[in-house]
Amino acid sequence: MRLPESQVAVLNAASATDERTIAQLAEATDLKPETVTGAVFDLRDDGLVTVTETVEEDVELTDEGVEYADDGLPEIRLYRAAMDVGGGDAVQMGQVIGASSLGGPQVDIALSNFARKGYGHIDSGELVPDADANPDADEEAAALSALVAGETVDTDVLDQLESRNLVVRHERTIRAVTLTDEGVTALMEGVEAAETVDRLTPEMLTSGEWEDVEFTEYNVEADAPEVRGGKKHILRQTADRVKDVLVGMGFSEMEGPHADADFWINDCLFMPQDHPARTHWDRFALDVPPMEDIPEDLIDRVRSSHLNGVGDDGDGYHSPWSEDFARAVALRGHTTSLSMRYLSGHEVGELEPPQRYFSVEKVYRNDTLDPTHLLEFYQIEGWVMAEDLSVRDLMGTFEEFYSHFGITDIQFKPHYNPYTEPSFELFGRHPETNELIEIGNSGMFREEVLRPLGVECDVMAWGLALERLLMLMYGFDDIRDVHGTLCDLDLLRETEVLR
Ligand code: PHE
């Protein structure tokens, strides 16, 4: 006969003449009691063993029970004190209690049991002990001592002790196993352990073999492959958080084309058409038709700004300005193209101050790849339009913004942009290398930018690098750790951006 291994072991350890308990079988087979119990039930179902069950009661003294077993029951202490003090006569309550050295709730316990058990009665503030009472014959006291000695105790007294919370009772089922005749025969004919399998196959199900095999037990401590679900990239998570923060600061989000006319990317920004950056700079030109949808009057005002500047004493670049050049389409090198679209009124209509706008979007530059430069990255673009803005408003805005990310050490360096005056570069301290790294560029848009757009008040603006913010937050120092084929998978997996 073939049986699962645990059943074979239990069968061999069982006996036809003596009962064996589960605990004894577990000890003999070196199996866990629950495994033995399972095997015993299966063997019983196959008629190889019989099982007799008896329920035993365990009685355990509570802390209070232990205390009374040591010091005596409160009512007995009270009785003895009364007898000592009054020799059997009525005694003043206060006096007895003092003499009994009972304290706190024990006094109430003593008094209520005193009368119940016939140790005496209470009469107008006096305790009257019954001289015939015999505390040495107290059943409850005797039961407590018997329990301490491990002896059994009459059920009635146990009930009483349980109602006084001096004992707790647990029931326990003891299973005793004996071999049946069939079990003995099986053993004589020989039982072999069936092989254990760790996988149920379709073949086992169809052949019925599954009924005879033993399945290996679960090992919940075994190493298991780590399963990782998909998750949002930390750049995206951080971008989402940046958006939350800016929306919280009262900004609205801008959106617009990744491939845009040079007009919006450069001309509106008073970038001269012969600026090196516009000819052989890091620009991704696209072989697509020129952009048609640009307001004619805006083109005229921008052209005029480039040629002659703005205002009576304005001055321009005095170099040719080509409309074809302006309509040519390229991948945007910054998202300031979006700011131009919105400030011009082309996107959401004329804007009245005050206004605040932002975007967290990709930009594209034909740079050389290195630890801090990629061909594409995310820019946190933003601007505030209001009367009488100052550089202090600009700096205060950055301090507030970066503080949401735990970055408090922001430094400003004067800078030059053709479109802002004054201009500032922003620097933050890298948490690992301790170096100051550039994290953004900013300034107040100059008149040559704002007047053609039709904006009469001040506008402060900036472009911050999302990847640099990430570097300050998570301490990596190579942008390629989060982008592309060389990315640091552990960093990407383990970093959680708190929102
Ligand atoms: N466009 C600038 C850059 O890409 C950032 C900037 C935006 C600076 C607006 C000033 C004003 O670096």
Side-chain angles (χ1 to χ4, degrees), residues 18-29:
D18 290 329
E19 287 185 334
R20 299 269 148 90
T21 62
I22 298 283
Q24 288 167 335
L25 291 171
E27 166 120 26
T29 55

PDB file of all heavy atoms in Angstrom, residues 18-29:
ATOM      1  N   ASP A  18      -1.990  -0.234  22.539  1.00  0.00           N
ATOM      2  CA  ASP A  18      -1.993   0.971  23.376  1.00  0.00           C
ATOM      3  C   ASP A  18      -2.535   2.159  22.597  1.00  0.00           C
ATOM      4  O   ASP A  18      -2.315   2.268  21.405  1.00  0.00           O
ATOM      5  CB  ASP A  18      -0.550   1.337  23.773  1.00  0.00           C
ATOM      6  CG  ASP A  18       0.021   0.327  24.741  1.00  0.00           C
ATOM      7  OD1 ASP A  18      -0.769  -0.236  25.524  1.00  0.00           O
ATOM      8  OD2 ASP A  18       1.251   0.114  24.675  1.00  0.00           O
ATOM      9  N   GLU A  19      -3.212   3.012  23.346  1.00  0.00           N
ATOM     10  CA  GLU A  19      -3.623   4.277  22.711  1.00  0.00           C
ATOM     11  C   GLU A  19      -2.422   5.215  22.691  1.00  0.00           C
ATOM     12  O   GLU A  19      -1.668   5.286  23.651  1.00  0.00           O
ATOM     13  CB  GLU A  19      -4.727   4.939  23.543  1.00  0.00           C
ATOM     14  CG  GLU A  19      -6.063   4.253  23.430  1.00  0.00           C
ATOM     15  CD  GLU A  19      -7.137   5.034  24.170  1.00  0.00           C
ATOM     16  OE1 GLU A  19      -6.775   5.770  25.140  1.00  0.00           O
ATOM     17  OE2 GLU A  19      -8.299   4.944  23.786  1.00  0.00           O
ATOM     18  N   ARG A  20      -2.295   5.912  21.580  1.00  0.00           N
ATOM     19  CA  ARG A  20      -1.231   6.925  21.508  1.00  0.00           C
ATOM     20  C   ARG A  20      -1.896   8.276  21.286  1.00  0.00           C
ATOM     21  O   ARG A  20      -2.724   8.407  20.375  1.00  0.00           O
ATOM     22  CB  ARG A  20      -0.272   6.649  20.336  1.00  0.00           C
ATOM     23  CG  ARG A  20       0.450   5.323  20.406  1.00  0.00           C
ATOM     24  CD  ARG A  20       1.796   5.477  21.148  1.00  0.00           C
ATOM     25  NE  ARG A  20       2.141   4.273  21.861  1.00  0.00           N
ATOM     26  CZ  ARG A  20       2.856   3.266  21.355  1.00  0.00           C
ATOM     27  NH1 ARG A  20       3.295   3.335  20.129  1.00  0.00           N
ATOM     28  NH2 ARG A  20       3.130   2.218  22.081  1.00  0.00           N
ATOM     29  N   THR A  21      -1.511   9.254  22.035  1.00  0.00           N
ATOM     30  CA  THR A  21      -2.086  10.599  21.812  1.00  0.00           C
ATOM     31  C   THR A  21      -1.357  11.272  20.650  1.00  0.00           C
ATOM     32  O   THR A  21      -0.265  10.849  20.263  1.00  0.00           O
ATOM     33  CB  THR A  21      -1.930  11.499  23.055  1.00  0.00           C
ATOM     34  OG1 THR A  21      -0.529  11.660  23.305  1.00  0.00           O
ATOM     35  CG2 THR A  21      -2.605  10.894  24.275  1.00  0.00           C
ATOM     36  N   ILE A  22      -1.999  12.332  20.142  1.00  0.00           N
ATOM     37  CA  ILE A  22      -1.381  13.099  19.039  1.00  0.00           C
ATOM     38  C   ILE A  22      -0.004  13.586  19.493  1.00  0.00           C
ATOM     39  O   ILE A  22       0.967  13.530  18.729  1.00  0.00           O
ATOM     40  CB  ILE A  22      -2.270  14.311  18.656  1.00  0.00           C
ATOM     41  CG1 ILE A  22      -3.633  13.854  18.161  1.00  0.00           C
ATOM     42  CG2 ILE A  22      -1.565  15.211  17.649  1.00  0.00           C
ATOM     43  CD1 ILE A  22      -3.676  13.309  16.759  1.00  0.00           C
ATOM     44  N   ALA A  23       0.081  14.069  20.735  1.00  0.00           N
ATOM     45  CA  ALA A  23       1.356  14.600  21.225  1.00  0.00           C
ATOM     46  C   ALA A  23       2.430  13.515  21.208  1.00  0.00           C
ATOM     47  O   ALA A  23       3.565  13.757  20.772  1.00  0.00           O
ATOM     48  CB  ALA A  23       1.175  15.154  22.638  1.00  0.00           C
ATOM     49  N   GLN A  24       2.049  12.291  21.641  1.00  0.00           N
ATOM     50  CA  GLN A  24       3.028  11.187  21.643  1.00  0.00           C
ATOM     51  C   GLN A  24       3.440  10.819  20.222  1.00  0.00           C
ATOM     52  O   GLN A  24       4.614  10.575  19.950  1.00  0.00           O
ATOM     53  CB  GLN A  24       2.431   9.959  22.344  1.00  0.00           C
ATOM     54  CG  GLN A  24       2.308  10.131  23.844  1.00  0.00           C
ATOM     55  CD  GLN A  24       1.435   9.053  24.494  1.00  0.00           C
ATOM     56  OE1 GLN A  24       0.570   8.466  23.832  1.00  0.00           O
ATOM     57  NE2 GLN A  24       1.659   8.818  25.785  1.00  0.00           N
ATOM     58  N   LEU A  25       2.458  10.804  19.301  1.00  0.00           N
ATOM     59  CA  LEU A  25       2.775  10.464  17.910  1.00  0.00           C
ATOM     60  C   LEU A  25       3.673  11.528  17.280  1.00  0.00           C
ATOM     61  O   LEU A  25       4.579  11.217  16.512  1.00  0.00           O
ATOM     62  CB  LEU A  25       1.484  10.302  17.092  1.00  0.00           C
ATOM     63  CG  LEU A  25       0.633   9.067  17.454  1.00  0.00           C
ATOM     64  CD1 LEU A  25      -0.710   9.129  16.735  1.00  0.00           C
ATOM     65  CD2 LEU A  25       1.375   7.784  17.089  1.00  0.00           C
ATOM     66  N   ALA A  26       3.412  12.786  17.615  1.00  0.00           N
ATOM     67  CA  ALA A  26       4.228  13.877  17.072  1.00  0.00           C
ATOM     68  C   ALA A  26       5.672  13.712  17.538  1.00  0.00           C
ATOM     69  O   ALA A  26       6.620  13.868  16.774  1.00  0.00           O
ATOM     70  CB  ALA A  26       3.667  15.227  17.513  1.00  0.00           C
ATOM     71  N   GLU A  27       5.806  13.376  18.808  1.00  0.00           N
ATOM     72  CA  GLU A  27       7.138  13.180  19.383  1.00  0.00           C
ATOM     73  C   GLU A  27       7.842  12.001  18.698  1.00  0.00           C
ATOM     74  O   GLU A  27       8.991  12.096  18.288  1.00  0.00           O
ATOM     75  CB  GLU A  27       6.949  12.908  20.875  1.00  0.00           C
ATOM     76  CG  GLU A  27       8.171  12.364  21.571  1.00  0.00           C
ATOM     77  CD  GLU A  27       8.638  13.287  22.690  1.00  0.00           C
ATOM     78  OE1 GLU A  27       7.789  14.026  23.221  1.00  0.00           O
ATOM     79  OE2 GLU A  27       9.842  13.256  22.996  1.00  0.00           O
ATOM     80  N   ALA A  28       7.108  10.886  18.509  1.00  0.00           N
ATOM     81  CA  ALA A  28       7.698   9.685  17.931  1.00  0.00           C
ATOM     82  C   ALA A  28       8.065   9.865  16.456  1.00  0.00           C
ATOM     83  O   ALA A  28       9.053   9.320  15.976  1.00  0.00           O
ATOM     84  CB  ALA A  28       6.731   8.512  18.086  1.00  0.00           C
ATOM     85  N   THR A  29       7.262  10.644  15.719  1.00  0.00           N
ATOM     86  CA  THR A  29       7.510  10.772  14.267  1.00  0.00           C
ATOM     87  C   THR A  29       8.326  12.006  13.932  1.00  0.00           C
ATOM     88  O   THR A  29       8.741  12.180  12.786  1.00  0.00           O
ATOM     89  CB  THR A  29       6.172  10.904  13.509  1.00  0.00           C
ATOM     90  OG1 THR A  29       5.451  12.003  14.081  1.00  0.00           O
ATOM     91  CG2 THR A  29       5.362   9.642  13.602  1.00  0.00           C
TER      92      THR A  29
END
